Amino acid sequence: MKAQVFYQAEKMLLEEIPVPEVTETDVLVRVKNVGICGSDISYYYGLSPVGTPTGKGPLVLGHEFTGEIVKVGKVPERLGLFAQGDRVVVNPVQNCNACYACAAGQTHLCENMSVPGVNTNGAFAEYCVSKYTGLFKLPDNVSYAAGAFTEPLACVVYGMKKLDIEPGQFVVIFGPGPMGQMMVQMARSIGAGKIVLLGTRDYRLQIGKKFGADYIFNTSDKHSKYY
Ligand SMILES: [Zn+2]
Ligand SMILES: [Zn+2]
């Protein structure tokens, strides 16, 4: 299969590598859409180590993805959970369900966490392996492209819950990147009063306005009409 293999800062090569094997608890996904996360960019430029024991490649990056199931391991097959052709979105933070932390319900402290695209091969490839416990079926009315936003959207939902915005409250969002754009929409739907969006690039701020920001300000470009 074709895969983008990351080796070291600014070195990522399109290569032919074997389609990954599936164990009894895995599912093989044919990747349909994959997002480029801020952390993928950090890895690519060497600003942050990848999650392998050495912190280095070779590693296939990409963890925000949707796809179609092409092979189901024995366990999920026996449980009747997934079948070939299912449309799925992958939760890339995959705990093992077998260590003490997992048994105690503290799955975020799992000793054997596997994260496709961070410490195991990810989705900048034609196929990617996922644990069957890290998969969700994608509803028919959610496209593969929209579904690839599930993980970043989940982060936004969590952040918004922590903020605990009450209807009518004034909200300021710093940064009109993908996360900021989702935050604008979520703040709007929660019932925020006025929403202010701050950024450094007009085209992104304008998108934010479309998504529901009342006021947009460019904090760095003196020639911007939003400065
Ligand atoms: Zn991400
Ligand atoms: Zn575990």
Side-chain angles (χ1 to χ4, degrees):
M1 67 171 183
K2 288 195 178 70
Q4 284 284 351
V5 184
F6 167 79
Y7 285 91
Q8 61 193 57
E10 297 188 47
K11 187 179 173 194
M12 187 153 77
L13 304 175
L14 180 62
E15 292 182 346
E16 195 66 38
I17 64 171
V19 174
E21 301 282 329
V22 294
T23 70
E24 291 196 337
T25 53
D26 288 335
V27 169
L28 185 65
V29 177
R30 180 185 289 127
V31 178
K32 291 286 188 179
N33 280 87
V34 55
I36 299 173
C37 180
S39 44
D40 292 316
I41 294 172
S42 292
Y43 299 144
Y44 178 75
Y45 285 109
L47 302 173
S48 147
V50 294
T52 57
T54 58
K56 295 180 182 147
L59 181 75
V60 179
L61 303 180
H63 58 269
E64 300 174 359
F65 66 107
T66 51
E68 182 188 5
I69 290 184
V70 288
K71 207 186 248 179
V72 183
K74 284 205 182 83
V75 173
E77 186 179 36
R78 198 168 56 228
L79 295 171
L81 293 173
F82 295 103
Q84 263 183 33
D86 282 350
R87 302 167 75 249
V88 289
V89 57
V90 175
N91 171 5
V93 183
Q94 306 193 338
N95 60 292
C96 75
N97 280 325
C99 69
Y100 285 114
C102 283
Q106 295 186 305
T107 53
H108 60 298
L109 299 176
C110 174
E111 292 157 24
N112 313 303
M113 197 74 90
S114 99
V115 188
V118 177
N119 67 9
T120 65
N121 277 345
F124 290 170
E126 286 179 279
Y127 298 92
C128 182
V129 158
S130 167
K131 287 199 167 96
Y132 81 89
T133 47
L135 283 174
F136 297 94
K137 286 185 189 165
L138 207 55
D140 290 341
N141 63 347
V142 177
S143 67
Y144 283 121
F149 275 93
T150 305
E151 186 257 8
L153 178 65
C155 297
V156 168
V157 170
Y158 183 68
M160 282 308 199
K161 273 189 175 165
K162 288 205 127 179
L163 263 182
D164 203 13
I165 297 169
E166 285 171 21
Q169 274 183 335
F170 193 89
V171 176
V172 182
I173 293 164
F174 291 79
M179 307 303 277
Q181 303 290 359
M182 286 190 274
M183 286 205 161
V184 168
Q185 294 169 76
M186 190 140 285
R188 185 86 287 155
S189 67
I190 286 171
K194 296 293 182 195
I195 300 172
V196 176
L197 180 62
L198 306 175
T200 58
R201 282 170 283 184
D202 284 356
Y203 78 96
R204 289 189 167 203
L205 289 166
Q206 284 160 348
I207 294 170
K209 185 137 201 199
K210 254 194 243 161
F211 282 150
D214 297 288
Y215 306 107
I216 52 179
F217 296 109
N218 190 319
T219 56
S220 79
D221 180 1
K222 291 193 171 69
H223 304 294
S224 162
K225 60 177 170 178
Y226 308 112
Y227 183 72

